Amino acid sequence: MLKTANIIFILWVTVLITTPLYAENYIVRAAIMVAMFSSLALSWNIIGGYAGYPSLATAAFVGLGSYVGAVSQVNGVTMLFSWVLATISVGVVSSLLGVLLLRLRGHYFAIGSIVLVELFRLIASSWSSVTGGGNGLNIPILRWDPSTVASFFLSVMILLMILTYMMNIFVSNNRLGFGLKCIKQNEDAANMVGINTTLYKVIAFMLSATLCGTVGAVYASWSGYIDPTESFQIVLTLKVAVMAMLGGAGTILGPVIGASTFVVLEEIVWVNFLDWNRAILGILIVMIIFFLPNGIIKLGILRIFKEKLNQKFKDNIK
Amino acid sequence: MTSTVLELHSLARSFGGIKAVQDVSFTLRKGEIVGLIGPNGSGKTTLVNCITGVHKPTAGKVVFYGEDVTKQKPHQAAQRGLCRTFQIVQPFPEMTVRENVAAGALFAQKINSLSKALDKADEYVNFVGIHEMADIPAASLTLANRKKLELAKSLAMDPKVLMLDEVNAGLNSGEIIGALNLIKKISQKGISIIIIEHLMKVIMTLSERIIVLHNGELIAEGLPTEIINNPQVIKAYLGEKFAKRLMEEKND
């Protein structure tokens, strides 16, 4: 099962990373979005999928990452180092906030975490001396030719996607992942068998936030301009959670499938129904979740794929 | 004289104005089975919660192997070997029986690898006799087997003291006999057991000593025969008729 998931993942990464060779810029851009949202959904999976705490703080950490990256770049830090700074600061901030937030459970936690997005947005728009307030910040852009820039950011986003995927594999094969699964199913009992539930939840929260910060900083460098409303979007927060659940929360490949399906659907609907695209996309997602409550992954994609592989293998032997 | 495992020094816990447990002191020795009885709401479960760190005692001390553990958290209690089962069973419903038990071994015993914990789990699953159900989700077990699972999970935690909160409630008489033998087998491993129970038959068969709580206070402590003749206990909990019947059964 795990091996099949890895094969699918590697194939998908290969498809994404080779888009600049054969496809137009529009497709490359879509590939960057797929890689970016896959990283975010895979990050969300640690706290939302394994631990069962539906965090809606993703946009807060993406936004924080993009602001830390942008502000440090504006003040003369090199691009790569600004990404590192963003990652570290989001890691620290999220673990501190995690200690406070994870006292809440279930819906209360979801509400508490979504408040972070709004809180961070207000801070970003009020603290004009540093963040530029509502005017936003212009970030020095890369002076390469456009297609090189696109390939560069595509590779970076794919690298992040691979990192978050490996983080998922590591967590799920580790006692951390086992502990988180116990917490998801029965937190009191988990505590009673000797799991330090607070510590485990804070680690999970931090892991699921940190690389969102990196994604934010990279995104800021790519787009060249950030402002509070763009950076801290409630819609982004919801999208990421929906993507992970769409594909299959708590599985390793699910978030990738969910994010890819979502981005592709979004593009198709956008192109074909300019007026009603949000409504149609909404209906599609509701339908998918209604008929496949445990995610697309439960459709047996892996099994079908495995059988195909075996078939090929047999044919080759003949 | 065997060694002292657990001591309570005038332990108290109140919730607002209600004193759920007050001034309870007792000593538990290694390998001993102590029965804890009392009417509903007399503070039995609260006492267990104080020992396992779920509630912080408002006064008094919990001493475990000479160490003051009054302020411990539940997970620390579990890692020390102060384990308990719940009156209402608390499995991880979607995990298999084996995984449930492995969780105990993995986190309380600090075994590092999951595969080792799973091997360890098999041992305890066999011990309580639910090996045939090792690979099915805990949610699909019958009540009797869930109680056994709860025992296996606690055993996998390598307990020094095991607190059994009504493990026999809701079982039929055949199942109770099975559970009794199991508890005896556990005690033979040298684990001290505190057993909370309303079924006097169970308490009388197993306990070497009985303590009685009433309105949060310890009203009696002694051998089973002393307890069923204690007028205070008869008044507060057993009732005249029932105490007489117990005596007759004991004499038979």
Side-chain angles (χ1 to χ4, degrees):
Chain A
M1 167 93 179
L2 190 71
K3 278 185 187 148
T4 332
N6 290 344
I7 294 169
I8 295 181
F9 182 76
I10 291 165
L11 286 177
W12 186 225
V13 164
T14 319
V15 169
L16 290 177
I17 205 157
T18 50
T19 45
L21 301 179
Y22 57 80
E24 52 189 309
N25 270 339
Y26 166 72
I27 301 289
V28 177
R29 199 192 139 78
I32 297 179
M33 297 312 266
V34 167
M36 181 174 103
F37 278 112
S38 297
S39 317
L40 295 179
L42 280 165
S43 293
W44 182 90
N45 199 32
I46 307 278
I47 185 83
Y50 295 125
Y53 271 70
S55 167
L56 295 176
T58 306
F61 297 123
V62 172
L64 181 66
S66 60
Y67 263 93
V68 173
V71 169
S72 42
Q73 260 188 279
V74 167
N75 290 306
V77 177
T78 58
M79 186 175 69
L80 278 179
F81 193 61
S82 79
W83 296 350
V84 175
L85 269 183
T87 313
I88 294 170
S89 32
V90 169
V92 173
V93 170
S94 64
S95 39
L96 293 177
L97 287 171
V99 175
L100 296 172
L101 259 185
L102 289 156
R103 288 162 194 274
L104 304 170
R105 288 191 187 182
H107 301 111
Y108 300 100
F109 171 77
I111 295 166
S113 63
I114 207 166
V115 166
L116 288 185
V117 182
E118 208 44 14
L119 182 74
F120 283 13
R121 187 183 64 79
L122 285 172
I123 293 175
S125 61
S126 321
W127 196 7
S128 342
S129 57
V130 177
T131 62
N135 294 330
L137 279 176
N138 282 306
I139 303 146
I141 50 165
L142 288 175
R143 301 191 182 284
W144 303 339
D145 83 285
S147 60
T148 320
V149 171
S151 312
F152 172 72
F153 281 109
L154 177 66
S155 334
V156 175
M157 286 297 188
I158 284 179
L159 186 69
L160 287 172
M161 176 176 162
I162 294 170
L163 272 179
T164 46
Y165 186 78
M166 278 162 46
M167 177 170 78
N168 271 267
I169 291 181
F170 175 77
V171 169
S172 67
N173 290 335
N174 196 286
R175 56 190 279 147
L176 175 64
F178 196 79
L180 293 176
K181 278 178 203 160
C182 291
I183 290 174
K184 181 182 185 176
Q185 298 194 18
N186 191 334
E187 191 165 339
D188 293 324
N191 207 354
M192 282 295 163
V193 295
I195 300 172
N196 187 347
T197 47
T198 318
L199 181 70
Y200 272 58
K201 287 188 295 185
V202 172
I203 292 176
F205 192 63
M206 190 201 68
L207 285 180
S208 73
T210 305
L211 286 171
C212 292
T214 326
V215 169
V218 174
Y219 183 79
S221 301
W222 180 37
S223 70
Y225 169 77
I226 57 166
D227 70 20
T229 27
E230 268 297 298
S231 304
F232 300 100
Q233 291 180 59
I234 300 276
V235 174
L236 176 85
T237 249
L238 296 173
K239 250 189 201 176
V240 170
V242 166
M243 284 170 179
M245 288 190 254
L246 189 68
T251 62
I252 296 173
L253 197 60
V256 180
I257 296 175
S260 310
T261 314
F262 193 103
V263 172
V264 171
L265 270 183
E266 201 178 25
E267 291 299 328
I268 293 172
V269 172
W270 181 263
V271 168
N272 293 312
F273 310 92
L274 213 47
D275 290 332
W276 291 90
N277 66 78
R278 291 281 119 177
I280 291 169
L281 184 65
I283 291 168
L284 276 176
I285 288 161
V286 170
M287 299 270 274
I288 296 177
I289 290 185
F290 188 76
F291 288 110
L292 293 167
N294 292 319
I296 299 173
I297 200 159
K298 290 287 175 316
L299 209 58
I301 302 177
L302 293 187
R303 205 191 56 235
I304 296 166
F305 188 81
K306 203 174 188 175
E307 277 162 15
K308 281 253 168 71
L309 258 183
N310 286 341
Q311 194 61 43
K312 267 237 174 82
F313 189 64
K314 275 179 202 153
D315 291 348
N316 283 347
I317 287 175
K318 277 174 201 168
Chain B
M1 186 73 192
T2 44
S3 58
T4 304
V5 178
L6 182 72
E7 295 162 73
L8 304 185
H9 296 292
S10 31
L11 204 71
R13 166 76 204 193
S14 37
F15 298 99
I18 297 162
K19 289 173 179 158
V21 170
Q22 43 184 328
D23 200 24
V24 172
S25 306
F26 84 95
T27 310
L28 185 69
R29 287 184 288 271
K30 193 168 163 43
E32 197 180 23
I33 305 184
V34 171
L36 175 58
I37 58 171
N40 288 330
S42 60
K44 304 183 294 289
T45 301
T46 308
L47 191 65
V48 169
N49 282 341
C50 285
I51 298 173
T52 52
V54 176
H55 296 324
K56 298 267 167 302
T58 24
K61 268 201 301 189
V62 180
V63 178
F64 181 62
Y65 279 113
E67 186 190 356
D68 185 352
V69 296
T70 319
K71 293 199 176 101
Q72 68 188 341
K73 300 248 167 59
H75 68 91
Q76 293 168 325
Q79 286 168 7
R80 285 199 173 102
L82 283 164
C83 307
R84 53 100 51 103
T85 63
F86 289 85
Q87 195 170 347
I88 298 152
V89 286
Q90 299 277 4
F92 303 117
E94 284 163 38
M95 292 183 170
T96 65
V97 168
R98 181 184 281 121
E99 283 170 337
N100 264 272
V101 179
L106 192 61
F107 296 104
Q109 285 199 37
K110 301 217 164 183
I111 292 176
N112 271 319
S113 90
L114 186 58
S115 60
K116 262 188 211 157
L118 285 167
D119 288 342
K120 203 93 186 145
D122 281 329
E123 206 178 287
Y124 297 107
V125 169
N126 282 329
F127 184 81
V128 302
I130 49 174
H131 44 277
E132 279 159 18
M133 295 132 221
D135 291 315
I136 65 170
S140 49
L141 291 182
T142 60
L143 181 66
N145 285 333
R146 276 188 216 194
K147 299 239 168 178
K148 284 184 187 162
L149 169 61
E150 196 81 340
L151 274 177
K153 198 164 74 178
S154 311
L155 287 175
M157 291 159 71
D158 191 19
K160 308 285 181 293
V161 177
L162 186 57
M163 285 154 271
L164 304 173
D165 198 348
E166 300 204 16
V167 272
N168 296 302
L171 301 188
N172 66 35
S173 50
E175 289 163 345
I176 287 176
I177 292 169
L180 285 181
N181 292 331
L182 201 54
I183 295 169
K184 277 183 200 153
K185 250 165 73 184
I186 294 169
S187 164
Q188 280 157 15
K189 290 184 163 202
I191 299 167
S192 315
I193 297 176
I194 298 178
I195 176 163
I196 298 185
E197 198 62 69
H198 281 302
L199 299 164
M200 283 309 287
K201 186 185 158 203
V202 175
I203 291 282
M204 297 300 288
T205 337
L206 289 177
S207 317
E208 294 158 30
R209 214 153 43 99
I210 297 180
I211 52 180
V212 189
L213 283 183
H214 180 52
N215 289 338
E217 282 176 282
L218 201 152
I219 57 165
E221 180 178 358
L223 299 171
T225 39
E226 288 167 16
I227 292 298
I228 54 174
N229 283 316
N230 184 318
Q232 243 186 317
V233 178
I234 293 171
K235 189 161 172 274
Y237 182 56
L238 295 174
E240 292 275 352
K241 264 192 197 162
F242 191 63
K244 214 187 226 168
R245 208 171 81 204
L246 277 177
M247 270 317 280
E248 279 160 11
E249 273 175 25
K250 193 80 190 170
N251 291 336
D252 284 346

